[in-house]
Amino acid sequence: MHGEYKTPGGKLVVVDFDVVDGRFKNMVISGDFFLYPEEELAPLTNALEGVDIELDDESFTERIRMDLHPETELMGTSPEGIVIAVRRALAGDEA
Amino acid sequence: MSDRTEPTAAQLADWDTRFKSVTWTLLPNPPLAPRAQNAMDEVLLEEMAAGRRGPHVRFWNWQSKAVIIGRFQSVKNEVNQDAAAEAGITISRRMTGGGAMLVEPEGAITYTIAAPESLVAGMSFAESYQFFDSWVLGALRELGVDAWYVPLNDITSSGGKVGGAAQARKHGIALHHTTCAYSMAPGILTSILRIGKEKLSDKGVTSADKRVGPLRQQTDLDRDVIINHMIEYFRSRYGLQSDNFRAEEMIRLDQLVTEKYDTPEWVYALP
């Protein structure tokens, strides 16, 4: 599944994943956002791996937020923006 | 087009003081393969971190056409790979975030400016982007381009978008690089880059081509003339001593191209 969301005035975030037994698998997060340090892409990407797709937006957002180091700078997108892209993917909206 | 905001007089004075607080070196700009250009930034960042090189400005010459994608971009989402291969366009992944850039040997003006992170201490990321490109805006304005900054990382003008910047922050070094469009064949952007509706959703346009305002179109000046003007603008205000790459840096460059920038593991890190 594939979903995109561009934060107005910010950057594009793209999510690609599979759903296996009602859970996120093979999550890939990409886009033209900025992330410091770059090594934080792995925890960002792993945050939703294996998570139940039936959870609500706040739960998804919280998972992403929890997995990022407090000093990580994510610019141009946000945990909320990533969740919008995930929702769009789940809804089959390829926009 | 986003609202136009200008730095305050106090900001400009502060930026001026900061630029003048370090000794700047201008590095040469031999034509290099696209992936070697991207690797060179990392070599010089390593050299700075090791204390073997100081603050520098470097203009890039592209040996061949390339799409330079951002650190976190997916190749298939950004590049029409068949069209790129057919046109002899290399795909190269850079170490910094941000968006894909299409570059041709005479079509782009790309530069790096790098300094210890202490030079931008106390600044927000957003302000540091404006700071590092402020001299280029000044130089462009002297050449008659009505250019200004759109946070976070875009240079735009009354004639369209001019360029985009990205920064690496690593080992106490801030490395900032920017690509400005100099000339561009009509339609090439949209045939090679995959720019979806979502990406343009807040731009008020439906085609990426229409957003770009290449500098040749706006100035009628040769690329070298523009680059030299940028260099002289910087030199006259902040000082700039010419230097060469050291033999060790060129050896490390070859190594880093082979071990990282030329490998599928890096280029297709996000397939």
Side-chain angles (χ1 to χ4, degrees):
Chain A
M1 294 181 166
H2 175 95
E4 304 187 353
Y5 176 67
K6 183 175 192 302
T7 301
K11 304 293 170 193
L12 184 75
V13 67
V14 182
V15 296
D16 291 276
F17 57 85
D18 300 317
V19 174
V20 178
D21 298 333
R23 295 179 183 273
F24 294 111
K25 288 283 178 221
N26 307 318
M27 178 71 72
V28 176
I29 297 177
S30 65
D32 61 351
F33 51 83
F34 292 89
L35 179 68
Y36 301 95
E38 63 177 297
E39 290 76 14
E40 286 295 301
L41 184 66
L44 188 70
T45 298
N46 289 332
L48 292 179
E49 192 71 25
V51 169
D52 186 343
I53 64 163
E54 298 296 334
L55 294 181
D56 62 9
D57 286 6
E58 277 100 276
S59 305
F60 291 160
T61 308
E62 194 52 28
R63 297 269 183 157
I64 297 168
R65 212 179 287 288
M66 294 273 289
D67 274 26
L68 288 178
H69 190 272
E71 280 171 28
T72 300
E73 291 267 1
L74 176 61
M75 289 188 300
T77 189
S78 60
E80 290 79 2
I82 295 167
V83 172
I84 293 173
V86 167
R87 279 286 164 225
R88 287 181 172 182
L90 288 172
D93 175 6
E94 295 256 329
Chain B
M1 200 68 45
S2 302
D3 289 342
R4 183 168 181 164
T5 54
E6 295 291 339
T8 64
Q11 254 179 323
L12 289 172
D14 173 52
W15 293 356
D16 202 56
T17 307
R18 288 179 191 248
F19 272 121
K20 287 173 178 162
S21 70
V22 298
T23 303
W24 294 96
T25 295
L26 176 68
L27 291 171
N29 55 353
L32 294 176
R35 289 174 180 174
Q37 286 290 14
N38 287 127
M40 184 61 96
D41 268 351
E42 188 167 343
V43 169
L44 295 171
L45 193 149
E46 287 175 356
E47 290 299 299
M48 287 184 81
R52 290 188 291 262
R53 178 155 297 283
H56 60 267
V57 175
R58 174 172 84 87
F59 280 83
W60 305 22
N61 265 323
W62 300 100
Q63 210 170 54
S64 59
K65 290 186 269 192
V67 174
I68 311 299
I69 59 171
R71 171 67 184 86
F72 308 113
Q73 289 190 299
S74 139
V75 177
K76 69 171 159 42
N77 281 336
E78 296 303 324
V79 188
N80 182 347
Q81 295 180 75
D82 291 342
E86 208 168 296
I89 293 174
T90 307
I91 299 170
S92 180
R93 185 180 297 277
R94 61 174 186 262
M95 66 189 295
T96 58
M101 294 285 185
L102 177 66
V103 296
E104 297 176 89
E106 293 298 319
I109 295 177
T110 303
Y111 55 87
T112 299
I113 176 165
E117 229 176 336
S118 56
L119 192 70
V120 291
M123 272 189 196
S124 64
F125 271 101
E127 185 181 359
S128 75
Y129 273 80
Q130 284 189 266
F131 166 73
F132 277 124
D133 283 331
S134 57
W135 55 286
V136 169
L137 255 63
L140 289 177
R141 286 175 183 181
E142 285 189 351
L143 296 176
V145 180
D146 180 30
W148 67 94
Y149 221 73
V150 181
L152 177 73
N153 62 325
D154 285 342
I155 299 175
T156 196
S157 74
S158 44
K161 180 177 166 177
V162 171
Q167 272 181 33
R169 298 288 186 100
K170 228 174 186 174
H171 312 309
I173 307 298
L175 181 144
H176 178 106
H177 51 205
T178 303
T179 288
C180 297
Y182 172 68
S183 71
M184 198 170 278
I188 189 167
L189 207 59
T190 42
S191 68
I192 302 297
L193 297 184
R194 304 188 58 212
I195 301 165
K197 282 194 305 252
E198 181 61 16
K199 190 153 195 178
L200 296 170
S201 59
D202 63 343
K203 302 286 188 193
V205 294
T206 50
S207 157
D209 273 342
K210 292 182 188 142
R211 293 174 54 211
V212 182
L215 292 172
R216 188 170 66 187
Q217 211 170 284
Q218 301 203 50
T219 62
D220 229 7
L221 295 169
D222 284 350
R223 181 173 168 275
D224 285 350
V225 171
I226 298 175
I227 292 174
N228 286 334
H229 190 72
M230 290 173 176
I231 291 170
E232 287 318 312
Y233 188 98
F234 192 102
R235 195 196 305 273
S236 65
R237 282 163 182 79
Y238 314 128
L240 200 50
Q241 291 167 355
S242 295
D243 195 8
N244 283 312
F245 297 119
R246 292 196 313 276
E248 295 80 4
E249 289 170 337
M250 298 310 289
I251 291 167
R252 177 65 185 139
L253 177 68
D254 282 345
Q255 198 181 18
L256 201 57
V257 168
T258 308
E259 289 173 0
K260 178 174 174 178
Y261 285 85
D262 245 356
T263 65
E265 290 77 15
W266 173 253
V267 177
Y268 298 93
L270 291 149

